[in-house]
Amino acid sequence: MISSNMNVTFENLSDITDDLVIGDQVFTSRLMLGTGKYRNLGVAKQSIECSQTSIITVAIRRLQSSSNFQPNNLLNMLDWKSIWLLPNTAGCTTAEDAIKIATLGHEICKKMGQEYNSFVKLEVIPDSKYLLPDPIGTLKAAEYLISKNYTVLPYIYPDPMLAKQLEELGCATVMPLGSPIGSGQGLQNLENIQIIIENASVPVVVDAGIGTASDAVKAMEIGASAVLVNSAIAQAKFPQLMAKAINLGVHAGRYAYLAERMKKLSRAMPSSPSIGFPN
C-alpha cells in the first residue's frame, strides 16, 4: 500500500515526493551513510555527495579528542545545513557506556550547529568476535535515553519480538542487521526482517551487511524504510561510483515496493492477447 504521507503524481515520476520521517524530522533521502573505512577524507566527502544522503552517522568515540575538530576533519568539511548528524555509540560494550557516549554525541551535534538534534544510533556490542548487539543492554539504554527525550535508533539482531519491545518503549526506528557488520553478505536474515517490517509502525532501517546496490534494492523492495551503508561504499574500488549505484538502488527498490509487484504465477502467461487470431 502506498504510504499516506506520499504525494504521488504519476504524470511526472520526477515529481514524486516520498520523504522519510523519523521522530520530528523529515528527510528527502532513504539512504544513510557511515563515515568509517574510507581511504582518505577527500574520497569520503565525494562519496557522501554522490550518495545524496540526508543522514550521516559518526562514531562518537572517534571524536572525543579536541584534535577531531581541526579543519581537516570530515565533520568540518560537510554542510550541516543539508545533512543531519546521527551520532552513534559504536564501541560501547555496556548500556552505561552507551548512555555516556550518547550524551557526548548530543554535545557534538551542538558544535555542528544542530542544537536541537537529540538523535542517537544506539549500539551496545560486548561481542568482539561476531559484533552482535546485546539485546538486554540495548533495551536498558534505550529506556533511559528515551526518558531523557533522545530520539533513539537502536541497532539490533533481527529479532521480531525485540524490535516490537523497542518500538513500544518509544524508539523512533528499529535497525535490524542484514548480516554481520562489514561482511557484505547481503540480507541473510530476510524472513525475520520481513516480519519486523510487517509488524512495525515505526521506520525499519536495514543496517549492516549490505555489499552492493542489489542488496539495497532487495531491502527496499520488501518494505524497509531506509538502509544504512558504510563498508560497501568505503571499501569499493571506486567508492564514489558505488555511492551513486546504491543511491539509485534505494530509489529503484522503494519505487518497486510502492508499485506493488505482480503476483507470481505457476505457469507462463502470454503477454500478447490471443483473442482474434486465426486458428
Side-chain angles (χ1 to χ4, degrees):
M1 180 178 294
I2 294 175
S3 60
S4 59
N5 67 340
M6 182 180 179
N7 178 20
V8 182
T9 54
F10 292 109
E11 293 177 1
N12 186 345
L13 289 179
S14 65
D15 289 340
I16 290 180
T17 57
D18 180 32
D19 295 332
L20 172 65
V21 180
I22 300 176
D24 59 357
Q25 295 295 316
V26 179
F27 304 100
T28 58
S29 173
R30 292 178 178 270
L31 172 59
M32 305 178 184
L33 251 60
T35 54
K37 302 182 181 180
Y38 286 95
R39 290 191 287 273
N40 57 61
L41 293 178
V43 171
K45 184 174 184 293
Q46 291 167 8
S47 299
I48 289 168
E49 291 170 350
C50 288
S51 75
Q52 297 183 323
T53 184
S54 297
I55 303 174
I56 293 293
T57 185
V58 177
I60 298 309
R61 284 193 176 279
R62 299 195 198 114
L63 303 176
Q64 285 181 272
S65 68
S66 59
S67 62
N68 284 301
F69 291 101
Q70 297 302 314
N72 63 343
N73 179 266
L74 180 61
L75 286 186
N76 294 295
M77 299 170 66
L78 299 176
D79 178 10
W80 295 109
K81 292 180 180 179
S82 61
I83 299 175
W84 192 249
L85 178 58
L86 174 59
N88 73 59
T89 64
C92 293
T93 59
T94 66
E96 293 74 17
D97 196 17
I99 290 167
K100 181 177 70 174
I101 293 299
T103 303
L104 290 173
H106 182 51
E107 294 304 314
I108 289 171
C109 287
K110 290 180 180 179
K111 288 180 182 288
M112 297 296 104
Q114 297 182 4
E115 183 177 353
Y116 300 105
N117 184 347
S118 61
F119 277 45
V120 59
K121 184 192 174 200
L122 178 59
E123 299 183 27
V124 182
I125 303 178
D127 167 29
S128 60
K129 183 175 182 180
Y130 299 105
L131 300 178
L132 295 175
D134 172 15
I136 297 173
T138 301
L139 279 166
K140 182 179 178 181
E143 185 173 24
Y144 178 84
L145 290 168
I146 290 166
S147 74
K148 298 299 180 181
N149 298 317
Y150 280 82
T151 301
V152 180
L153 292 74
Y155 171 66
I156 62 170
Y157 187 81
D159 177 346
M161 294 302 295
L162 174 61
K164 201 63 186 176
Q165 285 178 304
L166 287 163
E167 178 184 331
E168 290 172 353
L169 272 181
C171 288
T173 72
V174 288
M175 304 181 74
L177 61 89
S179 53
I181 294 173
S183 69
Q185 294 177 14
L187 304 186
Q188 297 298 312
N189 300 290
L190 185 62
E191 291 80 8
N192 277 19
I193 293 172
Q194 285 181 299
I195 294 171
I196 291 172
I197 291 169
E198 289 169 7
N199 292 322
S201 57
V202 296
V204 177
V205 181
V206 174
D207 178 13
I210 286 177
T212 189
S214 59
D215 297 328
V217 172
K218 176 55 69 176
M220 300 305 293
E221 279 184 341
I222 64 172
S225 299
V227 298
L228 195 155
V229 182
N230 188 178
S231 299
I233 295 173
Q235 296 189 330
K237 185 174 182 180
F238 300 106
Q240 300 94 323
L241 193 56
M242 183 60 78
K244 181 66 174 177
I246 291 179
N247 171 47
L248 292 172
V250 168
H251 282 289
R254 180 63 177 174
Y255 286 166
Y257 169 72
L258 294 172
E260 300 185 27
R261 62 156 293 148
M262 65 171 285
K263 293 181 179 179
K264 293 182 180 180
L265 304 175
S266 60
R267 59 187 179 87
M269 291 288 288
S271 56
S272 300
S274 56
I275 299 173
F277 284 86
N279 293 331

